[in-house]
Amino acid sequence: MQIRPMRPSDVDAAEQLSADAMLELGERTRLAAGPPATRRADWWQGQWRRRALHLVEHDGPGCWVAEDDEGLLGLAVSMRRDTMWGLASFFVRPGAQSRGVGKALLDGALTHSIGCTRGMLCATTDPRALRRYHRAGFRLYPTMCAEGPIDRSLLPVVEHVREGSQSDLDLMESVDRQTRAATHGPDHAFMGAAQPLLVSDSHLGSGYAYLTPSGAYLLAATSERTATALLWESIARTEGDTFAVRQVTGEQDWLVDVAMAARLTLRQEGYLALQGMRPPTTYVPSPHFM
Ligand SMILES: CC(C)(COP(=O)(O)OP(=O)(O)OC[C@H]1O[C@@H](n2cnc3c(N)ncnc32)[C@H](O)[C@@H]1OP(=O)(O)O)[C@@H](O)C(=O)NCCC(=O)NCCS
């Protein structure tokens, strides 16, 4: 086995490997009463590749792969924003897991965290991942997913929320500093290129939310009232029939209140892993840009 820095030419194989590993994890951890595990949808597949290229370009020292005679064996893709380190992807090929490859990859990625005072990542329920994160000094907080069909008759009138653009960067960076003590650096431009953006800036507070075709992706606000308005507007602007918001911690009563009022279904899903900080209340992280 060889561990080396990730290159742009690794990205296609890395996307395949990550999709294989997620499918295998989904099948292994599927609840008897739950839906069958499915492979990553087309939109997410393209977005995964573009995101990995973006991170290899901006965070080369944080992106590592392992390979053996059969090809790519695993990957760890991480980033550093101000003094926060985050992990975007961490996968070992199914069939080669539990043999120490993950540890070697994470050790490589963690060299990118030297000098950081905080860390954040969104974890699956794989016990091996959780063990690795705990051993790296992360605290684990269980998270929920709120999802379900959109009942448009339940949507309230929302004020002070508008479409955003990259001209709102100063506002978004100010909100980032207040909610997670670190900006997103080049990631706002990346997310904004492919995803709708909502912004709120009023006497009630400031905030923003990026959307996916089926839900909220990243939501940050300086007050619960602004976060609540952004979440309702995210539901209203979702084009599909269903909405989902993930990485919800027990601290986020305001979000659970919206989920219940919108008649979404709550279930437990994964963990938020943090180092040097407590779970934020009005910040719902992106699984990839935290
Ligand atoms: C998570 C993952 C990348 C870790 O890589 P890996 O090569 O399997 O991990 P390692 O072998 O280096 O380490 C696994 C650790 O978990 C332990 N472990 C193995 N099976 C376990 C189990 N069932 N319960 C608890 N711990 C377990 C191992 O003993 C080892 O800990 P140790 O080194 O302290 O003894 C890999 O398992 C994977 O791809 N999982 C599926 C995708 C996933 O969930 N990725 C995480 C995204 S957040």
Side-chain angles (χ1 to χ4, degrees):
M1 173 184 81
Q2 189 204 356
I3 304 273
R4 61 164 175 81
M6 188 171 178
R7 298 189 281 254
S9 56
D10 295 316
V11 163
D12 285 357
E15 193 281 322
Q16 285 282 324
L17 190 153
S18 72
D20 291 346
M22 281 307 283
L23 186 61
E24 192 272 339
L25 176 72
E27 285 165 353
R28 183 159 34 96
T29 57
R30 181 189 162 201
L31 298 173
T38 52
R39 213 175 168 81
R40 185 179 288 149
D42 286 353
W43 188 85
W44 284 108
Q45 200 175 343
Q47 194 65 356
W48 199 103
R49 292 193 181 122
R50 288 186 286 276
R51 184 175 62 245
L53 283 171
H54 166 83
L55 292 172
V56 168
E57 181 189 340
H58 290 281
D59 293 86
C63 304
W64 292 78
V65 294
E67 57 188 357
D68 64 5
D69 295 343
E70 289 177 42
L72 204 72
L73 184 58
L75 58 126
V77 176
S78 74
M79 73 199 75
R80 195 160 88 185
R81 300 289 173 261
D82 302 341
T83 54
M84 176 176 283
W85 179 84
L87 185 65
S89 298
F90 182 40
F91 296 101
V92 170
R93 186 201 300 151
Q97 297 169 353
S98 294
R99 294 183 203 155
V101 179
K103 178 174 188 322
L105 283 165
L106 194 60
D107 286 349
L110 281 164
T111 59
H112 198 40
S113 74
I114 292 169
C116 289
T117 54
R118 292 171 169 230
M120 189 188 286
L121 63 92
C122 300
T124 62
T125 53
D126 191 317
R128 293 164 297 193
L130 301 178
R131 182 164 174 83
R132 287 272 67 89
Y133 301 149
H134 184 264
R135 299 216 64 178
F138 281 81
R139 294 264 152 234
L140 301 169
Y141 300 91
T143 46
M144 297 172 273
C145 167
E147 67 182 345
I150 300 172
D151 181 343
R152 295 193 182 271
S153 70
L154 298 173
L155 299 176
V157 174
V158 172
E159 292 181 328
H160 310 302
V161 178
R162 60 174 169 81
E163 278 179 27
S165 72
Q166 291 306 302
S167 62
D168 294 303
L169 187 61
D170 286 350
L171 177 146
M172 293 193 286
E173 292 200 329
S174 166
V175 173
D176 284 339
R177 285 192 197 90
Q178 292 177 66
T179 51
R180 63 169 223 157
T183 65
H184 278 92
D187 307 329
H188 277 302
F190 178 87
M191 290 185 278
Q195 296 176 244
L197 171 65
L198 299 176
V199 164
S200 180
D201 190 22
S202 76
H203 62 288
L204 301 174
S206 306
Y208 68 89
Y210 286 100
L211 311 182
T212 70
S214 58
Y217 181 68
L218 166 58
L219 189 154
T222 58
S223 72
E224 292 195 359
R225 287 179 71 174
T226 303
T228 298
L230 282 164
L231 185 59
W232 274 120
E233 193 60 17
S234 300
I235 301 173
R237 301 270 183 131
T238 296
E239 286 174 10
D241 297 333
T242 61
F243 178 86
V245 54
R246 303 190 138 80
Q247 284 86 41
V248 182
T249 64
E251 279 73 10
Q252 293 168 335
D253 288 337
W254 63 269
L255 194 155
V256 174
D257 290 346
V258 173
M260 291 297 171
R263 303 198 72 87
L264 301 176
T265 302
L266 271 186
R267 62 181 167 81
Q268 283 185 290
E269 180 186 81
Y271 295 80
L272 178 64
L274 299 172
Q275 197 175 37
M277 63 188 288
R278 300 277 310 156
T281 49
T282 52
Y283 185 86
V284 184
S286 134
H288 312 109
F289 291 112
M290 278 63 68

